[in-house]
Amino acid sequence: MSLIRLEHVSKEYRLGDQLVHALQDVSMTIDEGVFLAIAGPSGSGKSTLLNLIGCIDTPTRGKIFLDGHELSGYSSSQLARVRARMIGFIFQTFNLFPVLSAEENVEYPLLQFKELDAARRRERVARFLRVVELERYAKHRPNELSGGQRQRVAIARALATKPKIILADEPTANLDHKTGEGILELMKRINRTSRTTFVFSTHDRKVIAKADRLIRIEDGRIDSLALRTASDWVVVKNAKSAPEELTSPPKEGQR
């Protein structure tokens, strides 16, 4: 079963007197364990697509399924619970609370999990700070951390809820080349070891180079889908011809 499935999804909104077609008849699936890049120029619809997958926005038409559940009829509070339990977010501007330490920022989304007492929250926070190699900086506030360290805190926060999928919107945009490479290597390692699904909205070639699945989007439509083989990309120009195959996890030798 696919982790995410979109069926004929469109998104429209009004900008003054103009009706903007942000997404048009998008159908795709994403299976568990992929490291997927959604690439396209500014205004192509990639951020809109990420927002729909992340239950931040709802489609004008079409259906979205997450882990087998159709989300169309969900209320805003139900969608908020889905986001809290199943989806982690990483933003290009980090979105950390400046008055909280690194460990407090990681703990923050766990406060709504009533089944976790303080001791279990602390244990989970410590675990994921170790994963991102920031345990020494647990007490530091964001203004005491470098850009790369802040993004590592954001990654730990996204992982702390143990989500099914992590959505990353231009996560390397505010980082220098070397730091961005390190962050991508970290996320790729997490993907390989824990089989956590990562979906990126990006036009960064470094992100695309690390991906094992690639969706190119233009003018609100999927232009092409591709999978990485041992030596190269295999591209399907017609996005509807084999979407399920192209968004399943890579087999041995395709990474």
Side-chain angles (χ1 to χ4, degrees):
M1 182 186 296
S2 58
L3 180 58
I4 296 166
R5 187 167 85 253
L6 277 67
E7 295 182 354
H8 304 291
V9 167
S10 296
K11 179 64 182 180
E12 300 166 353
Y13 60 88
R14 288 210 163 268
L15 188 62
D17 295 331
Q18 184 180 8
L19 183 64
V20 177
H21 301 277
L23 285 179
Q24 302 182 63
D25 195 28
V26 170
S27 295
M28 57 179 280
T29 64
I30 301 173
D31 282 357
E32 190 172 0
V34 300
F35 203 75
L36 168 68
I38 300 172
S42 296
S44 61
K46 60 184 186 295
S47 291
T48 299
L49 180 55
L50 208 68
N51 288 340
L52 291 175
I53 293 171
C55 302
I56 294 173
D57 205 351
T58 55
T60 305
R61 290 181 299 278
K63 297 179 180 181
I64 299 176
F65 298 82
L66 177 57
D67 203 27
H69 301 282
E70 186 188 348
L71 304 179
S72 303
Y74 278 32
S75 65
S76 57
S77 60
Q78 287 175 312
L79 290 174
R81 284 195 293 272
V82 170
R83 288 195 301 272
R85 296 279 177 173
M86 300 187 69
I87 304 169
F89 296 90
I90 301 171
F91 305 94
Q92 69 178 70
T93 53
F94 319 131
N95 286 17
L96 301 178
F97 291 105
V99 298
L100 300 183
S101 66
E103 63 183 2
E104 289 168 337
N105 269 284
V106 176
E107 182 185 24
Y108 185 80
L110 301 177
L111 296 176
Q112 60 191 307
F113 289 15
K114 302 304 181 185
E115 70 273 19
L116 295 179
D117 59 22
R120 292 177 67 191
R121 289 199 306 271
R122 285 194 298 270
E123 180 183 352
R124 192 178 292 192
V125 168
R127 173 189 169 191
F128 286 107
L129 283 175
R130 283 195 301 273
V131 168
V132 299
E133 302 173 350
L134 278 184
E135 60 267 35
R136 291 173 48 208
Y137 299 90
K139 303 295 184 184
H140 288 57
R141 291 186 177 181
N143 66 353
E144 300 172 309
L145 301 172
S146 68
Q149 289 170 333
R150 289 180 214 174
Q151 195 62 292
R152 286 173 181 260
V153 173
I155 293 169
R157 180 183 58 188
L159 290 168
T161 60
K162 297 184 178 179
K164 290 275 189 179
I165 184 170
I166 289 182
L167 304 179
D169 189 6
E170 299 285 5
T172 59
N174 289 337
L175 303 175
D176 62 69
H177 179 83
K178 183 177 179 181
T179 303
E181 284 280 1
I183 290 297
L184 288 171
E185 284 290 348
L186 172 64
M187 289 190 281
K188 186 69 174 180
R189 186 166 69 248
I190 293 167
N191 167 255
R192 285 173 172 165
T193 56
S194 68
R195 303 294 293 163
T196 302
T197 303
F198 280 82
V199 178
F200 298 85
S201 167
T202 189
H203 55 260
D204 188 340
R205 291 182 179 179
K206 297 190 301 294
V207 177
I208 295 171
K210 287 284 189 293
D212 53 50
R213 296 293 181 269
L214 174 63
I215 292 176
R216 291 197 178 275
I217 188 168
E218 192 163 346
D219 296 329
R221 296 182 183 274
I222 291 181
D223 179 64
S224 64
L225 297 166
L227 64 87
R228 187 184 294 282
T229 65
S231 59
D232 207 348
W233 288 100
V234 175
V235 178
V236 174
K237 289 296 183 183
N238 180 359
K240 294 182 179 179
S241 62
E244 192 129 6
E245 176 188 346
L246 291 175
T247 51
S248 60
K251 296 180 175 61
E252 201 65 36
Q254 290 184 342
R255 288 185 183 274

